[in-house]
Amino acid sequence: PKGVRGFAGDDGEEVTAQILATRDLIRAKLAKLREGAQGKPVFPAVLPLVAGFRMTRRLEGRLVLLEEHNRHWFDDSLGLTGDWRSAGPVYCLPLTCLAGVANDNLITAGRCISADGPAWDVTRVIPTCAVTGEAAGTAAALAARTTEGRFSRLDIPALQDLLRRQGVLIERRLVAGG
């Protein structure tokens, strides 16, 4: 909202500032609710116990997944996700947006993957986190077994076959135009 400070959440002072600001917002909301409650007691049912940050740090992979990539097939796709905001777009989740570039043994999942803009908004939600988490974990296990942990050396078809056997959707035919 306009006039509300954003918090990076990448150091202790930012986290503390966010928690304190959240408490101030709760107190202000309670005061407003109590004004209209005509003397009836108003108490919060639940208070947040952990600071919540919508976005913090993200990986920058060889590929940054963007809105223009909806319904685009990638040969290194490790799963598919839909756009929770509307019916239609299907995003492939390629290894190139999960694996690190500078560190060949780094992989990530969830809202930390290499994505930006509306595509990041699609990938930050729990279903996509589950798909990327399973893909990252399976890739890490296979890399540890076959490539000394180097994701750039993975046999992508073997990884995709393993994920398919685990029930992951990796089907070019499900991606229109693919």
Side-chain angles (χ1 to χ4, degrees):
K2 192 173 186 169
V4 175
R5 178 183 171 224
F7 299 92
D10 58 358
D11 68 33
E13 289 181 14
E14 279 287 296
V15 173
T16 298
Q18 192 268 358
I19 290 170
L20 293 174
T22 299
R23 298 301 192 261
D24 289 343
L25 288 171
I26 291 169
R27 280 191 285 280
K29 180 70 172 179
L30 281 171
K32 191 171 187 174
L33 289 171
R34 286 175 177 148
E35 284 177 13
Q38 302 172 349
K40 294 178 184 169
V42 175
F43 297 98
V46 178
L47 291 173
L49 300 175
V50 177
F53 296 93
R54 187 166 183 248
M55 180 186 292
T56 53
R57 296 184 185 267
R58 292 173 284 166
L59 175 77
E60 187 169 333
R62 284 194 318 251
L63 173 83
V64 177
L65 195 66
L66 301 170
E67 184 175 29
E68 65 203 40
H69 292 126
N70 68 37
R71 299 205 179 271
H72 179 87
W73 175 258
F74 296 100
D75 289 334
D76 65 337
S77 292
L78 303 182
L80 305 176
T81 192
D83 185 342
W84 58 270
R85 301 165 304 170
S86 62
V90 173
Y91 287 86
C92 292
L93 301 164
L95 178 64
T96 47
C97 73
L98 300 177
V101 176
N103 299 34
D104 198 26
N105 64 345
L106 175 67
I107 196 161
T108 190
R111 67 182 182 176
C112 298
I113 71 170
S114 183
D116 201 12
W120 176 83
D121 206 35
V122 168
T123 63
R124 72 178 176 83
V125 296
I126 292 171
T128 308
C129 292
V131 173
T132 56
E134 183 170 3
T138 304
L142 187 61
R145 233 180 15 248
T146 63
T147 68
E148 298 177 342
R150 297 174 133 181
F151 294 105
S152 64
R153 293 186 180 176
L154 275 173
D155 179 342
I156 299 301
L159 175 57
Q160 290 170 327
D161 287 342
L162 183 56
L163 287 165
R164 284 186 187 104
R165 286 195 308 269
Q166 293 172 189
V168 176
L169 290 176
I170 310 172
E171 301 299 331
R172 186 181 194 122
R173 66 180 174 76
L174 297 176
V175 182

